[in-house]
Amino acid sequence: MRDPTAQKLPPYSLNELMVLTVQHLYVAYTVAVEDIPGEVFIEKVLEPLPGLDRTGSDQPLEILLQYATDEVKAKGNDAIARAPVSPILLSATYYFRAGRARDNNQTDAAWSYLAEARYWCGIAMAGKGLESALQQAAGGLKRDMAAAGAKGRSGKYQPLRDLAFDFARNSAPPGGWRSRNHAVQSVEPTVRDLATTLGIELSTENVDKTIHGWLSSMPDATQLFSKGK
């Protein structure tokens, strides 16, 4: 079930929409749960999820139970469903699943997971309780569950990597990039802007080297930067 507001959005690319989703989740978390810096949100809230998401379940409550401590579980499933953080965790789960599918070139699965991430992000942004959404999900949420074989990358810099990758693939000038360095210098201001938004510190002296390393690791780097060294 897609976010009903999605039709009003510009035609974002997959990676652009993933970045936007992280930004929205951060805003929702600061309003509904705790006002913390963006870097702390990524490190403490988002980063642990990929390692805990092991069931592959498509049931919202089963997903949430993966992350619940014994103390939280003792309060009962209703308390878990009503918790303000629950739709944020569900959205983030599908965000990371979308990233794994994307990295395995499973584009359809990536978009399917991201649609679910946007749906739960919409629930979180609206500040709604989870009970009615869970009822809807139990009856109608269907998705492509093609699992990615490789372990997805996580960490506080992942949204910045996603942005750099998307820029390199979709914003090349006519005739392509002259070199990898050309792409690095072009994307660096945009990466800095997103880092500022999320409160992620980037070394002024080494940011170009960091982005260069990210672009070098792209599966299609040879094709994108064939003219460079």
Side-chain angles (χ1 to χ4, degrees):
M1 182 182 298
R2 288 183 178 272
D3 181 348
T5 64
Q7 297 297 326
K8 301 178 182 179
L9 294 173
Y12 291 108
S13 69
L14 177 67
N15 285 335
E16 286 174 332
L17 199 54
M18 289 182 72
V19 170
L20 189 64
T21 299
V22 172
Q23 293 175 326
H24 286 175
L25 288 178
Y26 172 56
V27 171
Y29 190 90
T30 60
V31 172
V33 183
E34 182 183 7
D35 189 1
I36 58 176
E39 183 174 353
V40 176
F41 171 70
I42 292 174
E43 290 181 350
K44 303 300 184 183
V45 179
L46 297 186
E47 188 174 0
L49 299 186
L52 298 173
D53 180 28
R54 298 176 179 175
T55 68
S57 174
D58 61 351
Q59 297 300 317
L61 188 57
E62 291 181 6
I63 293 173
L64 293 173
L65 286 172
Q66 297 179 121
Y67 311 134
T69 63
D70 291 339
E71 180 180 359
V72 172
K73 291 177 181 178
K75 297 178 181 179
N77 292 346
D78 288 343
I80 294 174
R82 289 194 300 268
V85 75
S86 292
I88 296 172
L89 295 177
L90 287 170
S91 179
T93 297
Y94 286 112
Y95 164 84
F96 284 115
R97 289 181 182 181
R100 289 194 294 268
R102 176 205 59 199
D103 291 346
N104 280 305
N105 296 318
Q106 297 173 322
T107 305
D108 289 344
W111 275 110
S112 180
Y113 286 135
L114 187 56
E116 298 297 346
R118 294 297 299 169
Y119 169 74
W120 291 110
C121 183
I123 296 295
M125 291 290 289
K128 297 178 180 177
L130 199 58
E131 291 177 318
S132 61
L134 281 171
Q135 292 175 359
Q136 295 175 4
L141 288 181
K142 302 295 182 181
R143 60 190 55 79
D144 184 354
M145 292 300 293
K151 181 179 180 181
R153 293 167 302 184
S154 61
K156 65 180 181 180
Y157 296 112
Q158 186 60 48
L160 306 184
R161 290 192 196 96
D162 290 339
L163 180 64
F165 285 11
D166 183 74
F167 188 96
R169 290 184 176 119
N170 299 309
S171 299
W177 299 111
R178 297 191 303 272
S179 66
R180 187 177 295 113
N181 284 334
H182 180 203
V184 169
Q185 296 304 316
S186 298
V187 74
E188 182 177 332
T190 306
V191 170
R192 286 185 181 276
D193 287 345
L194 180 59
T196 299
T197 298
L198 295 177
I200 300 174
E201 293 185 7
L202 286 175
S203 170
T204 302
E205 297 180 354
N206 297 322
V207 63
D208 57 336
K209 295 180 180 179
T210 299
I211 298 174
H212 195 285
W214 292 344
L215 298 187
S216 298
S217 70
M218 296 176 66
D220 47 352
T222 301
Q223 291 74 29
L224 289 170
F225 314 116
S226 59
K227 297 180 181 179
K229 296 182 180 179

